[in-house]
Amino acid sequence: MSCRHRLHLDTTFPQLVAGATEDSGVKQRRDAAMAQRSSVRDLIGAVVGGRSISREGSWSTRSAATMQAFADGESHIWDAVLPSESDTGREGVAELLIRDHERGGYIPVIVVNHKVTDPRSDPTILEGAAITSDLYVWAPATDPLRKVRSQPRDQMRLAHIYRMLQRHGLASPALLGGAIGYGADCILVHDLGPLLDEYDRRYADRITVARGEIETEPSQVPECRSCPWWPRCQSWLAERHDVSLVAIGSRAEVLREEGVRTIDDLARWNGPAPEKWQHGPFEDTVLTARAWLAGASLVRRVEHVTVPRADIEVDVDLESFQEHGAYLWGALLNDVAAETSKYHPFVTWEPLPTHDEARSFAEFWTWLMRIRADAVKQGKTFAAYCYSRAAEDKWLLDSARRFAGAPGVPTVEQIRAFINSPEWVDIYQVVSDQFVCPNGKGLKKIAPVAGFGWRDAEAGGEASMAWYREAVGYEGEPDTTQRTRILAYNEDDVLATKALREWMSGPADTAVPFVDDLSAPYLSSNPA
């Protein structure tokens, strides 16, 4: 938890959110994390053994069982529950504790459902390489094939467990911890020594907040979107025009250090960016404040909005499930001159991971390249569109790698040639280049400005994850109605990019205010 004010509210007024509906995205992430932990425990435990602490029973019963496992000298303790500390308020659970046979004590290892390392481009250079260990034998060593993916929350959690182990004289003097991430192909080793002072500082602050010894105020941070207190905080922030409504998280902290506490203060800023500003073009943040005060959903950066168009246009959107794969490639074929559109889904309903994903991906790619080739033969121009290309690029490349050699699957080189060509257009980038977006740049924020609406009121990436689990029958019989729901949601996503592109080609110039119009009233103000 990064929000100090939420901690204050949770500990001071827990009854006010008791029984509140849990955010679906939070539940999905928690369920996925539990499944990951169980999978890793089964994988490693089958080889190394050890003692598993039951997940049933009271905290005191489970912590007593953990302490007995320590006393018995178990080499691996799974789902360890450490005794609560009444004086510090600490509680802690570790997915795995590995006994340090050489130095004594235990090394904490956590299991997470995100990536903890990335591949390195040059394995011949050891500088910057991660330290990893084999899953089954604790043996930290430099890993030239991997680099650390920054996950500060993982590091703080390991430091927390380490301090609790220290309390009982059970921490390894090696000052090391480990994290097993998505894919479970190694243990990333963290040096906890440099982290402990920062952890102690943060924990001391949080425990002071929890005890009500200092006052806190709301400030918008990324976790607000899934917080039950957000409606209350949002009202408080809006009433005060708090600057965090347009400069979220650490951006607001930098501005407050400069004396900028309200959106009005920020809108009046005419000077250079604050010295500590490291969050992109500062002028965009100032414009966002001015747009918020003017009630403008979008602001034009340019006098005339343009977007690449073609005779034959294909809108593309994929649906993936966590890191297991991309099960659906949706494509909307548009013949601009004929004013016709048709939706084409390429899908597998076999639960991921499955090799049938190769079949659906190959069918999509073959179809897309055929449409492209036919356009060329007819002397027509061609373009394919997506919204925020990072996901599409990732799964195009990843699918080509994973299914290399399967019928119809392109090579990585073919994928790169296509996504690096002018025929692959990211509408998100086109929007970013030409508009300031006070309410965010997500498709579900921008497309409604162009008059588009989704048929399903619950449509969204996190919701679709839950629909997918039911659609393929992860917990029971497959629900075909959820398959229909996913297809409709995917179709609406590609229809949204089409609607946005057409709106940008026409009404946007007159429907959206120009930056100079919003800036004019502030130009005579004194610099901040």
Coordinates of all heavy atoms in Angstrom, one line a residue, residues 249-260 269 274-279 282:
G249 N 0.2 11.2 -8.1 CA 1.4 10.6 -7.4 C 2.5 11.5 -7.1 O 2.4 12.6 -6.6
S250 N 3.7 11.1 -7.5 CA 4.9 11.8 -7.2 C 5.0 13.2 -8.0 O 5.7 14.1 -7.5 CB 6.2 11.0 -7.6 OG 6.2 10.6 -9.0
R251 N 4.2 13.3 -9.0 CA 4.2 14.6 -9.7 C 3.6 15.7 -8.8 O 4.2 16.8 -8.7 CB 3.3 14.5 -11.0 CG 3.8 13.6 -12.1 CD 2.7 13.3 -13.1 NE 3.3 12.5 -14.2 CZ 3.4 11.2 -14.3 NH1 3.2 10.5 -13.2 NH2 3.9 10.6 -15.3
A252 N 2.6 15.3 -8.1 CA 2.0 16.3 -7.1 C 3.0 16.6 -6.0 O 3.0 17.8 -5.6 CB 0.7 15.7 -6.5
E253 N 3.8 15.7 -5.6 CA 4.7 15.9 -4.5 C 5.8 16.9 -5.0 O 6.1 17.8 -4.2 CB 5.4 14.6 -4.1 CG 4.5 13.6 -3.5 CD 5.2 12.3 -3.2 OE1 6.4 12.2 -3.3 OE2 4.5 11.3 -2.9
V254 N 6.2 16.8 -6.2 CA 7.2 17.8 -6.7 C 6.6 19.2 -6.8 O 7.2 20.2 -6.4 CB 7.7 17.4 -8.1 CG1 8.6 18.5 -8.8 CG2 8.5 16.0 -8.1
L255 N 5.4 19.3 -7.2 CA 4.7 20.6 -7.3 C 4.4 21.2 -6.0 O 4.6 22.4 -5.8 CB 3.4 20.4 -8.1 CG 3.5 20.1 -9.6 CD1 2.2 19.7 -10.2 CD2 4.2 21.2 -10.3
R256 N 4.1 20.4 -5.0 CA 3.8 21.0 -3.7 C 5.1 21.5 -3.1 O 5.1 22.5 -2.3 CB 3.2 19.9 -2.8 CG 1.8 19.5 -3.2 CD 1.1 18.5 -2.2 NE -0.2 18.1 -2.6 CZ -0.5 16.9 -2.9 NH1 0.4 15.9 -2.9 NH2 -1.8 16.6 -3.3
E257 N 6.2 20.9 -3.4 CA 7.5 21.4 -2.9 C 7.8 22.8 -3.5 O 8.5 23.6 -2.9 CB 8.6 20.5 -3.3 CG 8.7 19.2 -2.5 CD 9.8 18.3 -2.9 OE1 10.7 18.8 -3.7 OE2 9.9 17.1 -2.4
E258 N 7.1 23.1 -4.6 CA 7.3 24.4 -5.3 C 6.2 25.4 -4.9 O 6.1 26.5 -5.4 CB 7.2 24.3 -6.8 CG 8.4 23.4 -7.4 CD 9.7 24.1 -7.3 OE1 9.7 25.3 -7.3 OE2 10.7 23.4 -7.3
G259 N 5.4 25.0 -3.9 CA 4.3 25.8 -3.4 C 3.0 25.7 -4.3 O 2.1 26.5 -4.1
V260 N 3.0 24.8 -5.2 CA 1.8 24.6 -6.1 C 0.9 23.6 -5.5 O 1.2 22.4 -5.6 CB 2.2 24.2 -7.5 CG1 1.0 24.0 -8.4 CG2 3.1 25.3 -8.1
W269 N 1.1 28.9 -13.9 CA 2.6 28.7 -14.0 C 3.1 29.1 -15.4 O 2.6 28.6 -16.4 CB 3.0 27.3 -13.7 CG 4.5 27.1 -13.6 CD1 5.4 27.2 -14.7 CD2 5.2 26.7 -12.5 NE1 6.6 26.9 -14.3 CE2 6.6 26.6 -12.9 CE3 4.9 26.4 -11.2 CZ2 7.6 26.2 -12.1 CZ3 5.9 26.0 -10.3 CH2 7.2 25.9 -10.7
P274 N 9.9 22.8 -12.8 CA 10.7 22.7 -11.5 C 11.9 21.8 -11.8 O 12.0 20.9 -12.6 CB 9.7 21.9 -10.6 CG 8.3 22.2 -11.2 CD 8.6 22.4 -12.7
E275 N 13.0 22.1 -11.0 CA 14.2 21.5 -11.1 C 14.1 19.9 -11.0 O 14.8 19.2 -11.7 CB 15.2 22.0 -10.1 CG 16.7 21.5 -10.3 CD 17.6 22.2 -9.3 OE1 17.3 23.2 -8.8 OE2 18.7 21.6 -9.1
K276 N 13.2 19.5 -10.1 CA 13.1 18.1 -9.8 C 12.1 17.4 -10.8 O 11.9 16.2 -10.6 CB 12.6 17.8 -8.4 CG 13.7 18.3 -7.3 CD 13.2 17.9 -5.9 CE 14.2 18.3 -4.9 NZ 13.6 18.0 -3.5
W277 N 11.6 18.1 -11.7 CA 10.5 17.5 -12.6 C 11.2 16.4 -13.5 O 12.1 16.7 -14.3 CB 9.8 18.6 -13.4 CG 8.6 18.0 -14.2 CD1 8.6 17.7 -15.5 CD2 7.4 17.8 -13.6 NE1 7.3 17.3 -15.8 CE2 6.5 17.3 -14.7 CE3 6.8 17.9 -12.3 CZ2 5.2 17.0 -14.5 CZ3 5.4 17.6 -12.2 CH2 4.7 17.1 -13.2
Q278 N 10.7 15.2 -13.5 CA 11.2 14.1 -14.3 C 10.0 13.3 -14.9 O 10.1 12.1 -15.0 CB 12.1 13.2 -13.5 CG 13.3 13.9 -13.0 CD 14.2 13.0 -12.2 OE1 13.9 11.8 -11.9 NE2 15.4 13.4 -11.9
H279 N 8.9 14.0 -15.3 CA 7.7 13.3 -15.7 C 7.2 13.8 -17.0 O 6.0 14.0 -17.2 CB 6.6 13.6 -14.6 CG 7.0 13.2 -13.2 ND1 7.1 11.9 -12.8 CD2 7.4 13.9 -12.1 CE1 7.5 11.8 -11.5 NE2 7.7 13.1 -11.1
F282 N 6.7 19.4 -19.1 CA 6.0 20.1 -18.0 C 4.9 21.0 -18.5 O 3.9 21.1 -17.9 CB 7.0 20.9 -17.2 CG 6.4 21.6 -16.0 CD1 5.9 20.9 -14.9 CD2 6.2 23.0 -16.0 CE1 5.3 21.5 -13.8 CE2 5.6 23.6 -14.9 CZ 5.2 22.9 -13.8

